[in-house]
């Protein structure tokens, strides 16, 4: 509202009438606006013109514009590679650069490992499957696993070679923020994050995890308040993603399904935060642990008959629950010292 190019007198009258959003102004007729603000008809006309121009700043695109590529660079959809060819193939090229991708799953399913790997590949040039920018990692649960990140950086640099590794300096472009309360999260999203985005330093936002704060801040009797906060938060993340062409990845916990399906193979665990949050998610990935194990692929003892059970690698599964460009399907992967690797 403060950016409107109108007389400050008109803007002051609008604020006094508690019309704080463009939608609240455009939803009222001219006569209703005159009655609420006490402004003249000519002032209301100027107000509606200024608001309409501000709303229409973002151009409307047709399918032909997208197909021909004759659209703003912020509308170009990129795909962020995961660092594993098998998972990239499974995900149709990687994580979408616009919208919200949710990575849900139980504890020790590999959610944080997967997200840290994305923070590294995001810094690659676009022609190499990256987003050519840094990453913000907002941690809301345990302490950020900085030692594990350093291990992944070492492996990543070896793959890229010394020249590219020195050029990227990936460890310098991952901005970690610890938040433990909703107020801190909002301050990070509304105040600190826009500063990094304005400088062109960020192309990926990771929130690990979203459910931790919303579950702890709201009691069972405050579901309506929680839903309103989720709507506001989801809308804010979408606005940042679409305006700046930034990929957003949100880690989510799981909860018991109180209405289990009778279909065979259906899991009794579902992502937390309910339908309110699900409506804001574009792509949902469900990570799970399985009962299978594999012998380490490298090492002195790579014979499955001689490897001690404590060195066995747990097999996990990744399911595409829904996505705008992919069908529902399942694949398997492992997490070892080199990171997340898909299995063929």
């Amino acid at each position: 509202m403060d950016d409107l190019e109108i007389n400050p007198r008109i803007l002051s009258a609008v604020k006094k009438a508690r019309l704080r959003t463009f939608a609240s102004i455009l939803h009222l007729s001219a006569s209703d606006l005159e009655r609420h603000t006490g402004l003249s008809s000519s002032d209301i006309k100027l107000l509606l013109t200024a608001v309409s121009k501000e709303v229409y700043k973002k151009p409307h695109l047709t399918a032909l514009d997208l197909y021909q590529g004759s659209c703003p660079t912020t509308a170009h959809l990129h795909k962020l590679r995961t660092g594993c060819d098998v998972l990239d193939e499974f995900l149709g090229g990687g994580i979408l650069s616009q919208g919200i991708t949710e990575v849900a799953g139980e504890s020790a399913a590999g959610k944080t490992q997967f997200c840290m790997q994305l923070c590294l590949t995001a810094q690659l040039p676009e022609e190499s499957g990256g987003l050519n920018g840094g990453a913000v990692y907002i941690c809301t649960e345990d302490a950020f696993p900085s030692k594990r990140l350093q291990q992944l950086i070492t492996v990543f640099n070896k793959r890229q070679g010394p020249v590219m590794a020195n050029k990227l300096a990936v460890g310098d472009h991952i901005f970690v923020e610890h938040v433990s309360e909703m107020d801190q999260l909002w301050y990070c999203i509304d105040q600190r994050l826009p500063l990094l985005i304005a400088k062109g330093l960020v192309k990926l936002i990771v929130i690990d995890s979203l459910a931790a704060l919303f579950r702890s801040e709201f009691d069972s009797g405050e579901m309506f308040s929680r839903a309103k906060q989720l709507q506001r938060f989801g809308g804010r993340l979408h606005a940042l993603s679409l305006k700046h062409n930034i990929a957003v990845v949100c880690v989510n916990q799981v909860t018991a399904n109180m209405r289990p399906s009778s279909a065979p193979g259906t899991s009794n665990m579902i992502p937390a935060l309910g339908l309110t949050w699900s409506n804001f998610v574009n792509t949902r990935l469900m990570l799970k642990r399985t009962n299978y194990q594999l012998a380490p692929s490298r090492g002195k003892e790579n014979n499955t008959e001689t490897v001690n059970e404590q060195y066995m690698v747990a097999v996990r599964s990744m399911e595409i629950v829904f996505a705008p460009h992919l069908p529902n399907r399942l694949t398997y992967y492992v997490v070892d010292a080199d990171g997340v690797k898909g299995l063929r």
Side-chain angles (χ1 to χ4, degrees):
M1 292 291 292
D2 294 332
D3 296 333
L4 288 178
E5 298 179 356
I6 55 176
N7 192 307
R9 174 180 57 82
I10 301 177
L11 189 59
S12 177
V14 171
K15 290 182 177 180
K16 287 182 180 179
R18 298 183 178 180
L19 299 174
R20 298 185 177 89
T21 63
F22 295 149
S24 62
I25 295 175
L26 295 176
H27 284 169
L28 297 176
S29 64
S31 58
D32 288 336
L33 287 173
E34 289 182 31
R35 185 170 60 256
H36 280 80
T37 61
L39 296 171
S40 64
S41 58
S42 58
D43 289 338
I44 295 300
K45 185 176 180 181
L46 291 174
L47 173 63
L48 291 174
T49 301
V51 170
S52 299
K53 288 182 178 179
E54 189 70 21
V55 171
Y56 194 68
K57 274 187 176 179
K58 187 175 181 180
H60 293 272
L61 302 175
T62 65
L64 182 61
D65 294 332
L66 295 173
Y67 177 76
Q68 295 178 341
S70 57
C71 53
T73 54
T74 54
H76 292 168
L77 193 64
H78 302 286
K79 292 182 179 179
L80 170 60
R81 300 187 65 178
T82 64
C84 171
D85 293 338
V86 176
L87 293 181
D88 289 337
E89 181 181 349
F90 172 72
L91 295 172
I95 303 297
L96 297 180
S97 64
Q98 291 187 8
I100 297 176
T101 298
E102 180 192 79
V103 181
E106 57 193 342
S107 177
K111 304 185 296 296
T112 299
Q113 305 272 349
F114 181 71
C115 291
M116 287 194 296
Q117 198 159 298
L118 292 177
C119 290
L120 301 180
T121 58
Q123 301 180 50
L124 291 171
E126 293 181 358
E127 56 270 20
S128 299
L131 299 178
N132 197 28
V136 169
Y137 201 106
I138 302 175
C139 190
T140 68
E141 296 189 52
D142 300 328
F144 181 77
S146 55
K147 291 184 178 180
R148 176 56 177 157
L149 176 63
Q150 191 58 48
Q151 292 176 348
L152 294 177
I153 290 176
T154 302
V155 174
F156 181 83
N157 287 338
K158 287 182 180 179
R159 291 175 179 172
Q160 301 304 319
V163 176
M164 180 62 75
N166 292 332
K167 180 180 178 181
L168 292 176
V170 291
D172 298 335
H173 300 94
I174 300 176
F175 307 94
V176 180
E177 181 74 15
H178 292 271
V179 298
S180 57
E181 298 178 355
M182 287 297 303
D183 291 341
Q184 295 176 351
L185 179 62
W186 278 114
Y187 179 77
C188 179
I189 296 295
D190 289 337
Q191 302 296 328
R192 307 191 67 176
L193 192 56
L195 295 178
L196 295 174
I197 295 175
K199 296 179 181 179
L201 299 176
V202 174
K203 284 296 181 180
L204 171 66
I205 301 172
V206 177
I207 302 177
D208 184 6
S209 73
L210 191 62
L213 287 181
F214 281 91
R215 278 179 157 181
S216 61
E217 291 273 344
F218 298 95
D219 297 330
S220 58
E222 299 176 311
M223 302 304 292
F224 179 73
S225 299
R226 191 184 82 166
K228 289 184 65 176
Q229 284 289 335
L230 277 172
Q231 290 174 347
R232 180 187 169 201
F233 191 75
R236 180 62 174 150
L237 290 180
H238 269 289
L240 289 173
S241 177
L242 296 177
K243 182 178 180 180
H244 303 285
N245 202 15
I246 293 176
V248 177
V249 177
C250 292
V251 175
N252 195 3
Q253 300 171 353
V254 292
T255 185
N257 185 4
M258 305 307 294
R259 296 179 179 177
S261 174
S262 58
T266 302
S267 173
N268 59 349
M269 304 299 291
I270 58 175
L273 301 180
L275 185 60
T276 301
W277 169 247
S278 297
N279 289 329
F280 288 96
V281 176
N282 298 95
T283 302
R284 168 168 284 170
L285 305 178
M286 178 68 80
L287 277 54
K288 300 177 184 177
R289 293 175 293 177
T290 70
N291 296 324
Y292 304 108
Q293 290 183 326
L294 290 179
S297 58
R298 298 186 302 174
K300 295 181 179 179
E301 296 179 338
N302 53 10
N303 188 339
T304 57
E305 296 181 358
T306 60
V307 174
N308 193 300
E309 288 186 1
Q310 65 178 347
Y311 299 111
M312 298 291 283
V313 180
V315 177
R316 299 166 170 89
S317 67
M318 176 184 293
E319 178 187 4
I320 301 174
V321 181
F322 58 78
H325 61 303
L326 296 170
N328 173 253
R329 56 190 179 190
L330 182 76
T331 192
Y332 295 93
Y333 67 96
V334 295
V335 180
D336 59 14
D338 294 343
V340 180
K341 299 177 180 178
L343 301 176
R344 293 190 183 276

